[in-house]
Amino acid sequence: MLVRNDNSAGSKEQQGGKLRLTSQPLLPQYLDPNDKNSTEYELYPFQRLGEKRIFNGYESLANWITDQGCVVIDGFSGVLWNDLRSGLSRHLDSKGIRVSWIDVSEAMKSAHDIEQLVAPFLGEPGSLWGRRCTLTLNDFFDQVKLKSIAPDTSKQSIATLTIYYGTGASLIKSAEAPVIYIDIPKNEIQYRMRAGSLTNLGADGPKRSAEMYKRFYFVDWVVLGVHKKSLLPKAAVFADAQWINNINWMFSDSLHDGLKTMSHSDFRVRPWFEAGAWGGQWMKERFKNLNKDEVN
């Protein structure tokens, strides 16, 4: 997760509505490193990277994209691609920049074919058990369609910018351009899943939460985790899109510097809390920012 620690982070207003179903608040986009009490449990641990290493907002990202001429925007499951496109379009349109948007999902196999493809990894219907998927992201795409993807020449004559986007966009061989990788924490994916605002990879609609989570766990997250790892040394920009109408992003060298620093010191991942037998009453009485209305 990418969190700003300066005063230019933008709105901290909680968002969500019907796009996420949970009583848990969103991670703040801005954290003040000076507003920290060493005697309290910290819900939002962070690693300092220095000034001007994390940027906020679609406008700043659109400004960088404008200078590239062509970009590829790939990402994990759970990204609300229409919202991301709208967020960038607002600022690109305001600059008078004409964009040729190319959606890689149009090259995916049919939802029926993908269901048949992943079925061997999902075990018996109604069962909790499955097995780790051995497919690659490329297996989810029609290779003929994928190879035929190219900018619309009728638009290209007037477009000043080409953007290939969607999960798997970097698989388009003709898209030789800087890669932007969009990530989403798994807790937010589950909140969006419960609200019915997203689907499994290649599915034609949401299903029961238990079915979707099982497919995420045994298939989608395995396949997309391998794909993300392959892009770590290649992507120019990494972005955190867990907020509905906003984004935080950084250049790859800043990410790698941060990971290197963390690998040489103690660090703690961000905790998140679910309803259930998680010792919640004791925690609610002692952890300042924990949701006091959560069932436990």
Side-chain angles (χ1 to χ4, degrees), residues 132-155:
R132 183 181 175 86
C133 184
T134 56
L135 299 169
T136 68
L137 184 55
N138 217 33
D139 294 324
F140 288 73
F141 287 87
D142 182 310
Q143 296 305 304
V144 174
K145 291 181 180 179
L146 195 63
K147 291 176 182 177
S148 67
I149 287 182
D152 186 335
T153 53
S154 63
K155 294 180 180 178

PDB file of all heavy atoms in Angstrom, residues 132-155:
ATOM      1  N   ARG A 132      -3.896 -25.592  -5.958  1.00  0.00           N
ATOM      2  CA  ARG A 132      -3.195 -24.435  -6.502  1.00  0.00           C
ATOM      3  C   ARG A 132      -3.163 -24.494  -8.026  1.00  0.00           C
ATOM      4  O   ARG A 132      -2.768 -25.493  -8.619  1.00  0.00           O
ATOM      5  CB  ARG A 132      -1.773 -24.393  -5.940  1.00  0.00           C
ATOM      6  CG  ARG A 132      -0.956 -23.193  -6.368  1.00  0.00           C
ATOM      7  CD  ARG A 132       0.441 -23.273  -5.756  1.00  0.00           C
ATOM      8  NE  ARG A 132       1.293 -22.205  -6.233  1.00  0.00           N
ATOM      9  CZ  ARG A 132       1.357 -21.000  -5.701  1.00  0.00           C
ATOM     10  NH1 ARG A 132       0.612 -20.712  -4.652  1.00  0.00           N
ATOM     11  NH2 ARG A 132       2.168 -20.076  -6.192  1.00  0.00           N
ATOM     12  N   CYS A 133      -3.567 -23.409  -8.651  1.00  0.00           N
ATOM     13  CA  CYS A 133      -3.656 -23.343 -10.105  1.00  0.00           C
ATOM     14  C   CYS A 133      -2.265 -23.364 -10.742  1.00  0.00           C
ATOM     15  O   CYS A 133      -1.327 -22.732 -10.240  1.00  0.00           O
ATOM     16  CB  CYS A 133      -4.394 -22.069 -10.504  1.00  0.00           C
ATOM     17  SG  CYS A 133      -4.679 -21.904 -12.269  1.00  0.00           S
ATOM     18  N   THR A 134      -2.136 -24.074 -11.844  1.00  0.00           N
ATOM     19  CA  THR A 134      -0.864 -24.136 -12.573  1.00  0.00           C
ATOM     20  C   THR A 134      -0.941 -23.411 -13.918  1.00  0.00           C
ATOM     21  O   THR A 134      -0.013 -23.488 -14.720  1.00  0.00           O
ATOM     22  CB  THR A 134      -0.461 -25.603 -12.817  1.00  0.00           C
ATOM     23  OG1 THR A 134      -1.523 -26.274 -13.517  1.00  0.00           O
ATOM     24  CG2 THR A 134      -0.191 -26.317 -11.497  1.00  0.00           C
ATOM     25  N   LEU A 135      -2.044 -22.713 -14.166  1.00  0.00           N
ATOM     26  CA  LEU A 135      -2.202 -21.964 -15.412  1.00  0.00           C
ATOM     27  C   LEU A 135      -1.386 -20.673 -15.361  1.00  0.00           C
ATOM     28  O   LEU A 135      -0.965 -20.230 -14.291  1.00  0.00           O
ATOM     29  CB  LEU A 135      -3.672 -21.612 -15.633  1.00  0.00           C
ATOM     30  CG  LEU A 135      -4.656 -22.777 -15.751  1.00  0.00           C
ATOM     31  CD1 LEU A 135      -6.087 -22.259 -15.693  1.00  0.00           C
ATOM     32  CD2 LEU A 135      -4.414 -23.562 -17.037  1.00  0.00           C
ATOM     33  N   THR A 136      -1.194 -20.071 -16.514  1.00  0.00           N
ATOM     34  CA  THR A 136      -0.600 -18.734 -16.588  1.00  0.00           C
ATOM     35  C   THR A 136      -1.679 -17.766 -17.049  1.00  0.00           C
ATOM     36  O   THR A 136      -2.723 -18.179 -17.588  1.00  0.00           O
ATOM     37  CB  THR A 136       0.573 -18.681 -17.578  1.00  0.00           C
ATOM     38  OG1 THR A 136       0.070 -18.865 -18.915  1.00  0.00           O
ATOM     39  CG2 THR A 136       1.604 -19.758 -17.259  1.00  0.00           C
ATOM     40  N   LEU A 137      -1.445 -16.484 -16.874  1.00  0.00           N
ATOM     41  CA  LEU A 137      -2.427 -15.488 -17.296  1.00  0.00           C
ATOM     42  C   LEU A 137      -2.670 -15.565 -18.801  1.00  0.00           C
ATOM     43  O   LEU A 137      -3.784 -15.334 -19.275  1.00  0.00           O
ATOM     44  CB  LEU A 137      -1.951 -14.086 -16.898  1.00  0.00           C
ATOM     45  CG  LEU A 137      -2.915 -12.932 -17.182  1.00  0.00           C
ATOM     46  CD1 LEU A 137      -4.276 -13.173 -16.545  1.00  0.00           C
ATOM     47  CD2 LEU A 137      -2.322 -11.617 -16.694  1.00  0.00           C
ATOM     48  N   ASN A 138      -1.658 -15.914 -19.537  1.00  0.00           N
ATOM     49  CA  ASN A 138      -1.784 -16.032 -20.990  1.00  0.00           C
ATOM     50  C   ASN A 138      -2.849 -17.062 -21.384  1.00  0.00           C
ATOM     51  O   ASN A 138      -3.493 -16.936 -22.430  1.00  0.00           O
ATOM     52  CB  ASN A 138      -0.432 -16.433 -21.586  1.00  0.00           C
ATOM     53  CG  ASN A 138      -0.167 -15.760 -22.916  1.00  0.00           C
ATOM     54  OD1 ASN A 138      -0.586 -14.632 -23.151  1.00  0.00           O
ATOM     55  ND2 ASN A 138       0.517 -16.458 -23.795  1.00  0.00           N
ATOM     56  N   ASP A 139      -3.046 -18.079 -20.534  1.00  0.00           N
ATOM     57  CA  ASP A 139      -4.018 -19.133 -20.825  1.00  0.00           C
ATOM     58  C   ASP A 139      -5.459 -18.619 -20.819  1.00  0.00           C
ATOM     59  O   ASP A 139      -6.353 -19.277 -21.353  1.00  0.00           O
ATOM     60  CB  ASP A 139      -3.893 -20.272 -19.807  1.00  0.00           C
ATOM     61  CG  ASP A 139      -2.563 -21.005 -19.906  1.00  0.00           C
ATOM     62  OD1 ASP A 139      -2.063 -21.158 -21.035  1.00  0.00           O
ATOM     63  OD2 ASP A 139      -2.029 -21.411 -18.855  1.00  0.00           O
ATOM     64  N   PHE A 140      -5.691 -17.460 -20.217  1.00  0.00           N
ATOM     65  CA  PHE A 140      -7.037 -16.902 -20.134  1.00  0.00           C
ATOM     66  C   PHE A 140      -7.409 -16.093 -21.382  1.00  0.00           C
ATOM     67  O   PHE A 140      -8.534 -15.630 -21.499  1.00  0.00           O
ATOM     68  CB  PHE A 140      -7.160 -16.007 -18.897  1.00  0.00           C
ATOM     69  CG  PHE A 140      -7.191 -16.765 -17.596  1.00  0.00           C
ATOM     70  CD1 PHE A 140      -6.043 -17.359 -17.089  1.00  0.00           C
ATOM     71  CD2 PHE A 140      -8.374 -16.892 -16.879  1.00  0.00           C
ATOM     72  CE1 PHE A 140      -6.067 -18.062 -15.895  1.00  0.00           C
ATOM     73  CE2 PHE A 140      -8.407 -17.596 -15.681  1.00  0.00           C
ATOM     74  CZ  PHE A 140      -7.255 -18.187 -15.194  1.00  0.00           C
ATOM     75  N   PHE A 141      -6.454 -15.948 -22.288  1.00  0.00           N
ATOM     76  CA  PHE A 141      -6.678 -15.111 -23.467  1.00  0.00           C
ATOM     77  C   PHE A 141      -6.724 -15.938 -24.747  1.00  0.00           C
ATOM     78  O   PHE A 141      -6.039 -16.951 -24.876  1.00  0.00           O
ATOM     79  CB  PHE A 141      -5.570 -14.058 -23.585  1.00  0.00           C
ATOM     80  CG  PHE A 141      -5.690 -12.952 -22.576  1.00  0.00           C
ATOM     81  CD1 PHE A 141      -5.119 -13.079 -21.315  1.00  0.00           C
ATOM     82  CD2 PHE A 141      -6.389 -11.794 -22.873  1.00  0.00           C
ATOM     83  CE1 PHE A 141      -5.232 -12.077 -20.372  1.00  0.00           C
ATOM     84  CE2 PHE A 141      -6.511 -10.780 -21.937  1.00  0.00           C
ATOM     85  CZ  PHE A 141      -5.937 -10.915 -20.690  1.00  0.00           C
ATOM     86  N   ASP A 142      -7.542 -15.467 -25.681  1.00  0.00           N
ATOM     87  CA  ASP A 142      -7.573 -16.009 -27.036  1.00  0.00           C
ATOM     88  C   ASP A 142      -6.344 -15.446 -27.751  1.00  0.00           C
ATOM     89  O   ASP A 142      -6.250 -14.237 -27.975  1.00  0.00           O
ATOM     90  CB  ASP A 142      -8.864 -15.558 -27.728  1.00  0.00           C
ATOM     91  CG  ASP A 142      -9.003 -16.107 -29.135  1.00  0.00           C
ATOM     92  OD1 ASP A 142      -8.033 -15.986 -29.914  1.00  0.00           O
ATOM     93  OD2 ASP A 142     -10.079 -16.617 -29.472  1.00  0.00           O
ATOM     94  N   GLN A 143      -5.415 -16.307 -28.106  1.00  0.00           N
ATOM     95  CA  GLN A 143      -4.135 -15.843 -28.638  1.00  0.00           C
ATOM     96  C   GLN A 143      -4.273 -15.132 -29.983  1.00  0.00           C
ATOM     97  O   GLN A 143      -3.525 -14.200 -30.279  1.00  0.00           O
ATOM     98  CB  GLN A 143      -3.162 -17.018 -28.754  1.00  0.00           C
ATOM     99  CG  GLN A 143      -2.792 -17.638 -27.415  1.00  0.00           C
ATOM    100  CD  GLN A 143      -2.245 -16.610 -26.434  1.00  0.00           C
ATOM    101  OE1 GLN A 143      -1.271 -15.917 -26.723  1.00  0.00           O
ATOM    102  NE2 GLN A 143      -2.873 -16.499 -25.263  1.00  0.00           N
ATOM    103  N   VAL A 144      -5.232 -15.549 -30.781  1.00  0.00           N
ATOM    104  CA  VAL A 144      -5.456 -14.872 -32.067  1.00  0.00           C
ATOM    105  C   VAL A 144      -5.928 -13.443 -31.831  1.00  0.00           C
ATOM    106  O   VAL A 144      -5.430 -12.487 -32.445  1.00  0.00           O
ATOM    107  CB  VAL A 144      -6.480 -15.645 -32.924  1.00  0.00           C
ATOM    108  CG1 VAL A 144      -6.815 -14.861 -34.189  1.00  0.00           C
ATOM    109  CG2 VAL A 144      -5.942 -17.028 -33.280  1.00  0.00           C
ATOM    110  N   LYS A 145      -6.886 -13.289 -30.911  1.00  0.00           N
ATOM    111  CA  LYS A 145      -7.386 -11.945 -30.590  1.00  0.00           C
ATOM    112  C   LYS A 145      -6.294 -11.094 -29.955  1.00  0.00           C
ATOM    113  O   LYS A 145      -6.168  -9.902 -30.253  1.00  0.00           O
ATOM    114  CB  LYS A 145      -8.584 -12.042 -29.637  1.00  0.00           C
ATOM    115  CG  LYS A 145      -9.838 -12.630 -30.254  1.00  0.00           C
ATOM    116  CD  LYS A 145     -10.964 -12.658 -29.231  1.00  0.00           C
ATOM    117  CE  LYS A 145     -12.239 -13.234 -29.822  1.00  0.00           C
ATOM    118  NZ  LYS A 145     -13.334 -13.294 -28.816  1.00  0.00           N
ATOM    119  N   LEU A 146      -5.502 -11.716 -29.077  1.00  0.00           N
ATOM    120  CA  LEU A 146      -4.454 -10.972 -28.380  1.00  0.00           C
ATOM    121  C   LEU A 146      -3.420 -10.436 -29.370  1.00  0.00           C
ATOM    122  O   LEU A 146      -2.986  -9.281 -29.273  1.00  0.00           O
ATOM    123  CB  LEU A 146      -3.780 -11.879 -27.348  1.00  0.00           C
ATOM    124  CG  LEU A 146      -2.918 -11.208 -26.276  1.00  0.00           C
ATOM    125  CD1 LEU A 146      -3.755 -10.286 -25.398  1.00  0.00           C
ATOM    126  CD2 LEU A 146      -2.231 -12.265 -25.414  1.00  0.00           C
ATOM    127  N   LYS A 147      -3.048 -11.270 -30.334  1.00  0.00           N
ATOM    128  CA  LYS A 147      -2.044 -10.856 -31.320  1.00  0.00           C
ATOM    129  C   LYS A 147      -2.585  -9.816 -32.294  1.00  0.00           C
ATOM    130  O   LYS A 147      -1.818  -9.049 -32.887  1.00  0.00           O
ATOM    131  CB  LYS A 147      -1.543 -12.075 -32.089  1.00  0.00           C
ATOM    132  CG  LYS A 147      -0.699 -13.024 -31.250  1.00  0.00           C
ATOM    133  CD  LYS A 147      -0.315 -14.271 -32.031  1.00  0.00           C
ATOM    134  CE  LYS A 147       0.490 -15.228 -31.161  1.00  0.00           C
ATOM    135  NZ  LYS A 147       0.809 -16.497 -31.880  1.00  0.00           N
ATOM    136  N   SER A 148      -3.911  -9.805 -32.448  1.00  0.00           N
ATOM    137  CA  SER A 148      -4.499  -8.877 -33.419  1.00  0.00           C
ATOM    138  C   SER A 148      -4.794  -7.503 -32.828  1.00  0.00           C
ATOM    139  O   SER A 148      -5.180  -6.583 -33.554  1.00  0.00           O
ATOM    140  CB  SER A 148      -5.796  -9.462 -33.989  1.00  0.00           C
ATOM    141  OG  SER A 148      -6.793  -9.546 -32.978  1.00  0.00           O
ATOM    142  N   ILE A 149      -4.629  -7.371 -31.502  1.00  0.00           N
ATOM    143  CA  ILE A 149      -4.910  -6.077 -30.873  1.00  0.00           C
ATOM    144  C   ILE A 149      -3.938  -5.028 -31.386  1.00  0.00           C
ATOM    145  O   ILE A 149      -2.723  -5.219 -31.377  1.00  0.00           O
ATOM    146  CB  ILE A 149      -4.813  -6.167 -29.337  1.00  0.00           C
ATOM    147  CG1 ILE A 149      -6.021  -6.915 -28.781  1.00  0.00           C
ATOM    148  CG2 ILE A 149      -4.735  -4.781 -28.713  1.00  0.00           C
ATOM    149  CD1 ILE A 149      -6.039  -7.015 -27.275  1.00  0.00           C
ATOM    150  N   ALA A 150      -4.480  -3.936 -31.836  1.00  0.00           N
ATOM    151  CA  ALA A 150      -3.669  -2.822 -32.335  1.00  0.00           C
ATOM    152  C   ALA A 150      -4.505  -1.559 -32.248  1.00  0.00           C
ATOM    153  O   ALA A 150      -5.740  -1.624 -32.209  1.00  0.00           O
ATOM    154  CB  ALA A 150      -3.234  -3.082 -33.777  1.00  0.00           C
ATOM    155  N   PRO A 151      -3.864  -0.408 -32.206  1.00  0.00           N
ATOM    156  CA  PRO A 151      -4.629   0.842 -32.170  1.00  0.00           C
ATOM    157  C   PRO A 151      -5.558   0.960 -33.366  1.00  0.00           C
ATOM    158  O   PRO A 151      -5.235   0.514 -34.468  1.00  0.00           O
ATOM    159  CB  PRO A 151      -3.535   1.919 -32.216  1.00  0.00           C
ATOM    160  CG  PRO A 151      -2.316   1.243 -31.697  1.00  0.00           C
ATOM    161  CD  PRO A 151      -2.416  -0.182 -32.153  1.00  0.00           C
ATOM    162  N   ASP A 152      -6.727   1.527 -33.141  1.00  0.00           N
ATOM    163  CA  ASP A 152      -7.683   1.787 -34.215  1.00  0.00           C
ATOM    164  C   ASP A 152      -7.093   2.870 -35.118  1.00  0.00           C
ATOM    165  O   ASP A 152      -6.902   4.007 -34.704  1.00  0.00           O
ATOM    166  CB  ASP A 152      -9.010   2.258 -33.606  1.00  0.00           C
ATOM    167  CG  ASP A 152     -10.103   2.412 -34.648  1.00  0.00           C
ATOM    168  OD1 ASP A 152      -9.773   2.624 -35.832  1.00  0.00           O
ATOM    169  OD2 ASP A 152     -11.282   2.329 -34.269  1.00  0.00           O
ATOM    170  N   THR A 153      -6.798   2.489 -36.360  1.00  0.00           N
ATOM    171  CA  THR A 153      -6.130   3.443 -37.256  1.00  0.00           C
ATOM    172  C   THR A 153      -6.999   4.654 -37.569  1.00  0.00           C
ATOM    173  O   THR A 153      -6.492   5.740 -37.832  1.00  0.00           O
ATOM    174  CB  THR A 153      -5.731   2.751 -38.571  1.00  0.00           C
ATOM    175  OG1 THR A 153      -6.893   2.113 -39.133  1.00  0.00           O
ATOM    176  CG2 THR A 153      -4.658   1.710 -38.324  1.00  0.00           C
ATOM    177  N   SER A 154      -8.313   4.460 -37.499  1.00  0.00           N
ATOM    178  CA  SER A 154      -9.188   5.606 -37.759  1.00  0.00           C
ATOM    179  C   SER A 154      -9.081   6.634 -36.647  1.00  0.00           C
ATOM    180  O   SER A 154      -9.247   7.828 -36.857  1.00  0.00           O
ATOM    181  CB  SER A 154     -10.641   5.147 -37.896  1.00  0.00           C
ATOM    182  OG  SER A 154     -11.106   4.580 -36.683  1.00  0.00           O
ATOM    183  N   LYS A 155      -8.799   6.157 -35.426  1.00  0.00           N
ATOM    184  CA  LYS A 155      -8.624   7.060 -34.293  1.00  0.00           C
ATOM    185  C   LYS A 155      -7.169   7.500 -34.163  1.00  0.00           C
ATOM    186  O   LYS A 155      -6.871   8.579 -33.692  1.00  0.00           O
ATOM    187  CB  LYS A 155      -9.064   6.378 -32.989  1.00  0.00           C
ATOM    188  CG  LYS A 155     -10.548   6.063 -32.916  1.00  0.00           C
ATOM    189  CD  LYS A 155     -10.870   5.389 -31.594  1.00  0.00           C
ATOM    190  CE  LYS A 155     -12.353   5.050 -31.484  1.00  0.00           C
ATOM    191  NZ  LYS A 155     -12.659   4.355 -30.210  1.00  0.00           N
TER     192      LYS A 155
END
